[in-house]
Amino acid sequence: MIQIGITGGIGSGKTTVCQLFSLRGVPVYYADQQAKKLMESYQPLRESIIKLFGKESYIGTTPNRSFLADKVFSDIDALLRLNGLVHPCVSADYQQWLQKQTSSLCLYEAAIIFENHRQKDFDAVVLVVAPKDERIARVKERDGWSEEKILSRMNHQWPEQKTRPLADYIIENKTPNDTRDQVASVYQSIIARFDLH
């Protein structure tokens, strides 16, 4: 099975691009969404996070996201320790998901593939980019975050000039029609490149 990574900064439009691939019958594993689910549902992970950050990191079985965000986005070591707990669980979950797929092509969507040096785990990586002001506006509308919080999150992700040279494909997510055309082009290129006809 050909595995393609889909990545990009917060608010770049990764989900939109993945949905367009899904319309072509390509299954998508949403790593960041699954991480949130596993932090809630997988007891060993929950216990490890509580051991690391204290009882305040959970409200019942629900992660205290604002508490954890304050901890990890002001302390890079804390972020690395949290990722060190969550990422192995997500990787194991992804492998189980892969076993159930019958498609010859699948996508793995995650915000920080390059930052975690994961690009070697995929046959190719698609980078989704968008103008910074549009990204900020999208996240404000979607999550109700302040601009300060969005910029803080952006500062923990690599800038576009660092990720662009590492990507196999780049999709400029500016207008819906243009993005749709680019996804079609990238899809056809992947099919041809890996002989998936």
Side-chain angles (χ1 to χ4, degrees):
M1 180 188 288
I2 299 301
Q3 300 174 53
I4 305 294
I6 299 269
T7 194
I10 185 170
S12 59
K14 297 183 296 298
T15 301
T16 298
V17 167
C18 286
Q19 287 169 347
L20 290 168
F21 275 101
S22 290
L23 291 173
R24 295 174 175 277
V26 182
V28 182
Y29 181 88
Y30 293 93
D32 297 334
Q33 288 180 19
Q34 285 302 116
K36 290 174 183 176
K37 289 179 184 177
L38 289 167
M39 285 173 70
E40 196 162 319
S41 64
Y42 187 49
Q43 187 177 347
L45 176 58
R46 195 164 65 234
E47 290 172 353
S48 296
I49 292 170
I50 290 169
K51 187 176 180 181
L52 181 60
F53 293 107
K55 291 180 180 178
E56 206 177 339
S57 56
Y58 274 78
I59 302 166
T61 59
T62 304
N64 186 342
R65 301 202 184 283
S66 59
F67 172 82
L68 287 169
D70 287 343
K71 285 283 187 186
V72 302
F73 289 109
S74 60
D75 181 351
I76 189 65
D77 288 334
L79 178 61
L80 290 172
R81 288 197 297 273
L82 178 61
N83 286 344
L85 295 175
V86 176
H87 288 169
C89 296
V90 173
S91 293
D93 186 67
Y94 173 57
Q95 292 303 319
Q96 289 177 0
W97 178 86
L98 276 179
Q99 299 303 315
K100 299 172 186 172
Q101 305 311 311
T102 56
S103 173
S104 58
L105 172 67
C106 74
L107 302 184
Y108 178 99
E109 184 265 359
I112 51 173
I113 286 176
F114 294 129
E115 290 87 337
N116 288 331
H117 308 287
R118 291 283 313 281
Q119 60 265 38
K120 64 185 181 301
D121 295 340
F122 303 99
D123 296 287
V125 177
V126 178
L127 174 66
V128 184
V129 299
K132 188 175 182 179
D133 55 346
E134 287 186 26
R135 292 169 58 199
I136 291 169
R138 283 176 194 157
V139 179
K140 276 184 179 177
E141 185 178 342
R142 183 187 71 199
D143 300 328
W145 289 5
S146 68
E147 188 161 333
E148 182 183 15
K149 184 175 181 179
I150 297 165
L151 290 171
S152 172
R153 188 65 58 91
M154 284 181 170
N155 289 337
H156 282 84
Q157 297 176 339
W158 284 1
E160 199 178 301
Q161 61 264 33
K162 192 171 181 178
T163 54
R164 271 182 177 269
L166 300 172
D168 297 278
Y169 303 96
I170 296 170
I171 292 176
E172 308 256 3
N173 183 28
K174 294 178 181 176
T175 68
N177 287 342
D178 192 37
T179 299
R180 194 177 301 115
D181 290 345
Q182 289 178 73
V183 169
S185 176
V186 169
Y187 174 78
Q188 292 300 333
S189 178
I190 290 169
I191 294 298
R193 177 178 173 183
F194 297 103
D195 197 22
L196 298 175
H197 296 284

